[in-house]
Amino acid sequence: MNSAHYFLYGWRLISQPGLRLFVIIPLLVNTLLFAGAFYWLYARLQIWITEFEQWLPNGLHWLQWLLWPLAILTIIVVFSFIFASIGNWIAAPFNGLLSERTELLLTGQPLPDGQLKELVTDLPRVFAREWQKLCYWLPRVLILSLAFFIPGIGQSVIPVLWFVFSAWMMAIQYIDYPFDNHKISFRVMRKQLSQHRSQNWGFGALVTIATGIPLVNWVVMPAAICGATALWVDHYRSLNLDVYEKIDQTQR
């Protein structure tokens, strides 16, 4: 099954009765976060545009009718990406629960310590994992951002590389949840994903495209988590359970 299947399958899974509650919580987080940020930006936008209008020469006041549509469109597109990233941090514990319940639905086998009461005790580990993702993402983004200023390459090659890297990060972001639920290290997760890079990149590319579509991006996060968990179940679960069962047997 290809990466497109898993992403579309995730959209089907979020409507399942056993997952709806765990889908609603991340959606509420995204809604409150985006609504609050948009309200603040809209209020500030009135001030910024008024100041800009005062700065415009008399002959260019006709540009005023363009300012609001362009400003609102810019906010929707740019901040969709920004607040999707912030939303992942805030909703990370609930995303882990959604991934856990999706795996239970698909396999019928709960995690050994996968109980709701474990949510509070797991918070330090969950946020530490998000910090690892940020540390992996940030230096590479800085390099790509600086490369934009290279004449020729910055305007032709770098946008393509930016999309490729964004797709790879989306795959890491969402496929990591079931890995983390099973206490598999970030380094091991990246190594295993690299062994199936094209499939995981394809999944991440679809998520990246959907994240840039207004309104659709509101539901992308839970759908991507469910789809990524289905991908884990089919390609990584048996491999990792076999490995860790052997480790446990050796330790005993």
Side-chain angles (χ1 to χ4, degrees):
M1 295 188 290
N2 58 36
S3 52
H5 164 84
Y6 288 108
F7 185 59
L8 297 175
Y9 188 36
W11 290 88
R12 291 170 51 195
L13 286 171
I14 61 176
S15 64
Q16 296 300 311
L19 299 180
R20 286 174 187 167
L21 175 63
F22 300 94
V23 170
I24 290 172
I25 294 174
L27 286 182
L28 285 176
V29 171
N30 259 5
T31 301
L32 293 174
L33 180 68
F34 191 82
F38 189 84
Y39 176 80
W40 180 84
L41 286 168
Y42 184 81
R44 296 299 303 172
L45 199 60
Q46 291 179 313
I47 300 173
W48 294 336
I49 289 183
T50 301
E51 293 176 351
F52 184 72
E53 289 173 348
Q54 294 173 352
W55 175 81
L56 280 175
N58 292 331
L60 296 178
H61 275 240
W62 60 272
L63 288 174
Q64 294 178 12
W65 68 274
L66 282 174
L67 294 179
W68 277 102
L70 288 175
I72 292 174
L73 181 62
T74 301
I75 286 175
I76 291 174
V77 174
V78 173
F79 285 91
S80 291
F81 285 100
I82 294 175
F83 288 107
S85 301
I86 297 174
N88 282 328
W89 269 78
I90 297 176
F94 304 106
N95 292 343
L97 281 174
L98 174 58
S99 177
E100 171 203 319
R101 295 294 166 160
T102 303
E103 185 172 345
L104 173 62
L105 178 69
L106 295 175
T107 66
Q109 300 176 5
L111 273 67
D113 56 352
Q115 302 294 330
L116 199 59
K117 64 183 180 181
E118 301 291 333
L119 176 62
V120 176
T121 57
D122 274 352
L123 283 178
R125 177 183 58 81
V126 169
F127 287 121
R129 188 72 162 216
E130 293 299 316
W131 176 254
Q132 285 182 292
K133 295 176 191 176
L134 179 63
C135 291
Y136 177 81
W137 173 82
L138 188 57
R140 292 162 175 81
V141 164
L142 291 175
I143 292 172
L144 286 173
S145 299
L146 292 174
F148 268 117
F149 296 98
I150 301 175
I153 295 177
Q155 293 72 44
S156 57
V157 178
I158 299 304
V160 177
L161 293 179
W162 185 276
F163 177 78
V164 170
F165 177 67
S166 297
W168 176 242
M169 277 307 306
M170 284 295 183
I172 287 178
Q173 176 66 46
Y174 291 111
I175 302 176
D176 182 56
Y177 286 117
F179 275 92
D180 187 40
N181 284 342
H182 286 272
K183 311 296 191 298
I184 299 169
S185 72
F186 186 70
R187 180 184 61 82
V188 171
M189 180 273 300
R190 286 195 294 110
K191 182 178 179 181
Q192 292 189 12
L193 262 58
S194 297
Q195 293 171 351
H196 304 277
R197 189 179 296 272
S198 61
Q199 180 183 60
N200 295 320
W201 181 86
F203 176 84
L206 291 173
V207 175
T208 301
I209 293 170
T211 301
I213 302 174
L215 299 181
V216 174
N217 55 17
W218 183 63
V219 198
V220 163
M221 183 166 62
I225 292 167
C226 291
T229 304
L231 196 155
W232 149 270
V233 168
D234 286 348
H235 294 276
Y236 300 104
R237 186 175 186 273
S238 60
L239 169 65
N240 286 284
L241 290 183
D242 289 345
V243 170
Y244 281 88
E245 284 175 2
K246 292 178 181 177
I247 293 175
D248 290 339
Q249 292 173 1
T250 303
Q251 292 175 344
R252 291 173 187 172

